[in-house]
Amino acid sequence: MFEIPVKWMVFILTIYLPFNIVVSMNNPLTRKTYIVQMDRSAKPEYFTSHLEWYSSKVQSVLTKPEIEGNADEEDRIIYSYETAFHGVAAKLNEEEAERLEEADGVVAIFPETKYQLHTTRSPMFLGLEPEDSTSVWSEKLAGHDVIVGVLDTGIWPESESFNDTGMTPVPTHWKGMCETGRGFQKHHCNKKIVGARVFYRGYEAVTGKINGQNEYKSPRDQDGHGTHTAATVAGSPVRGANLLGYAHGTARGMAPGARIAVYKVCWAGGCFSSDILSAVDRAVADGVNVLSISLGGGVSSYYRDSLSIAAFGSMEMGVFVSCSAGNAGPEPASLTNVSPWITTVGASTMDRDFPATARLGTGRTISGVSLYKGRRTLSIRKQYPLVYMGGNSSSLDPSSLCLEGTLNPRVVAGKIVICERGISPRVQKGQVAKQAGAVGMILANTAANGEELVADCHLLPAVAVGEKEGKLIKSYALTSRNATATLAFRGTSLGIRPSPVVAAFSSRGPNLLTLEILKPDIVAPGVNILAAWTGDLGPSSLPTDHRREKFNILSGTSMSCPHVSGIAALLKARHPEWSPAAIKSALMTTAYVHDNTHNPLKDASTATPSTPFDHGAGHINPMKAQDPGLIYDLEPQDYFDFLCTQKLTPTQLKVFGKYANRSCRHSLANPGDLNYPSISAVFPDNTSIKVLTLHRTVTNVGLPTSTYHVVVSPFKGATVKVQPEILNFTRKNQKLSYKIIFTTKTRQTMPEFGGLVWKDGAHKVRSPIAIIWLTPLT
């Protein structure tokens, strides 16, 4: 009888179980959560409240009509939405949802969607000066009362990063509250943490009741992710912060004078759209100025994306929304959160690293990284047996991935084991190796990760190495009968060159939803970021890790997003009158595209120059962003007019137009005419179209009298002409328009990239340019 080896059983189950769970949920009679968007203005007068009307609508479509007031009927509605979005989240079966979609007053219905989290030195690296500085950034920013809403896993309020010493009273415009529960009481909110709420009804509708003993059903964070992102946004300065001695220094958020409002939407099994939508709706009503959302799902059409719709409503209310781009790089078109009214943030490195080495028995020393520090150490004077459980074949082998249950203790005990990245978390591979008796681990990148190195707080001595060096070490272990190695850890290194570099994991463009909107918008530090941590979990996040640290070092676009959110809060404090679009424009047009060696930014996955599909407008530059000179401003109606170019039906457009009863002005000839800070010229597949004209309008926020001259980089496939080439401003807030004329010389098979810069001697207002020629269908 054919038998499947245990190691392959583990691998198959890892792949099969999630699929099986999805299939089992597809019964048409099973109740699922649906988000129901309502036309608020259509409520009949005889209903005393919108919720009463919504409840009546839900009641009218139930398969078995319930008696009014019946507990089951009440349970069907789990949320009502009133500010950034209008409607309810309700538990319905498929037939009921289809009937409700046809009902009068119902604008749209969205099935529940699961989102995932997109999982120090950054203030100094970004040019933000210490807290005792006299720079513009530290001029009593607390007095400006900027509040950042953080949608995440909650907060660990005892962290020193949330100390409110010296802060002024909570602003009077704040309408939020401090919800209590296990491990979280009223006193945990203060003048730094001004509010804390939890959202779990959508989660529980899918997964069942949260076990209050295993998980805090309160704003308290036992995951660590939310504490880390909140501290990155607006953490108070903490001297002597470090992780096991690594990255020692002062940890502070981007906007240490700003307030934090916590919205816990993520739980052990993920984050669900009905909860996220309720949190956004509540946060806007509470009075936040900025929303920081370090999570994402897949990409769907604008009118089918509930987070995009809620972000649109937030933008209408003047709230800046920053979201992580995702960690699916370097695959092209892997972005999430691509709506133009969202600021989409990719990740880059800083000039700090945590070097470690693997010295082979041949005498060769391989460079890598690690955050290991523990009682187990390897002698640098001794060599240890080296083993690799994979083979020469390029096919996947669970043992080479060090998955749970795949390492034979008789083979690996007392040895350094080589593990490849993939399938399971990096730190978990070390735990598997440790449990099998290994004394150390070399974590080797595969082609998916290239040469990008991410440091981890392993449970045993471990060094991460790049793909090329990994191949060399694996070959040595397979071909030498007595292969040996030892590992050494070198602490913290500063001044790394080149930096910044675009992280390989950072999700990439193009934005396939609308090629004319370049995404991501910007990159910010997202690799090896030190910030506050939960007291409930070790730094590796593994249950077997009993170490407790006040700070942790994490990587991901989840870490880069709060950098941008915090800097947006600083800009809002300095320029309270600026719209979300004005803040985004200032961040994008002042971003830089060269590293600290004065060469173009590089892509960690290829070690070649990155493009705007990787880095957007460039790397964030907060000091320049305070005084951008010119901005590309947008009103909510401008974004709506953009949606009118997206081939949406009138019903689909209603999703965005109901709040202000918007209609299409047909003011944009082309989606690329949206007054966006980046420029994407898309030539259709009709080869006879050789000329494309795009339009932009800039607003003078610099000196009242100023003259700007334009400089455009050359392109192989097209000539680019700007009319006029000079803009003469005579007053503050004056708007002047220009057009960019693209004329094809030779159609290119690949996109071309460059830039357009307006200069007045004091400012350089830069927009990235992409020219895309669509291929004719044959």
Side-chain angles (χ1 to χ4, degrees), residues 35 44 125 155 193 205 243 259 321-322 385 389 480 521 525 531 544 556 565 580 606 613 622 705:
I35 294 163
F125 179 67
I155 198 162
I193 304 170
L243 169 63
R259 324 292 181 135
V321 182
S322 173
M389 301 295 285
S480 175
D521 291 312
T544 53
S565 309
T606 60
F613 287 170
T705 304

Side-chain angles (χ1 to χ4, degrees), residues 116-119 225 294-297 323-331 334-337 344-348 421 426 448-449 452 454 503-508 524 526-527 554-561:
Q116 299 293 347
L117 295 163
H118 288 150
T119 313
H225 191 278
S294 286
L295 45 87
C323 292
S324 45
N327 298 339
E331 289 298 312
S334 50
L335 290 159
T336 63
N337 302 320
T344 312
V345 187
S348 55
R421 279 179 67 174
R426 300 181 299 269
N449 322 108
E452 177 177 71
V454 178
F505 63 74
S506 186
S507 290
R508 310 303 169 97
V527 178
L554 301 181
S555 298
T557 54
S558 274
M559 282 64 252
S560 48
C561 170

Side-chain angles (χ1 to χ4, degrees), residues 388-458:
Y388 173 55
M389 301 295 285
N392 281 317
S393 165
S394 59
S395 61
L396 209 55
D397 185 333
S399 293
S400 70
L401 293 164
C402 300
L403 300 180
E404 198 81 46
T406 63
L407 294 184
N408 184 342
R410 285 175 295 186
V411 178
V412 304
K415 298 175 183 174
I416 294 173
V417 63
I418 302 164
C419 299
E420 291 176 343
R421 279 179 67 174
I423 306 292
S424 63
R426 300 181 299 269
V427 286
Q428 193 177 335
K429 296 174 189 294
Q431 182 186 10
V432 169
K434 181 182 176 183
Q435 287 172 338
V439 297
M441 175 180 74
I442 295 174
L443 183 65
N445 278 5
T446 61
N449 322 108
E451 301 309 308
E452 177 177 71
L453 300 178
V454 178
D456 291 300
C457 202
H458 291 283

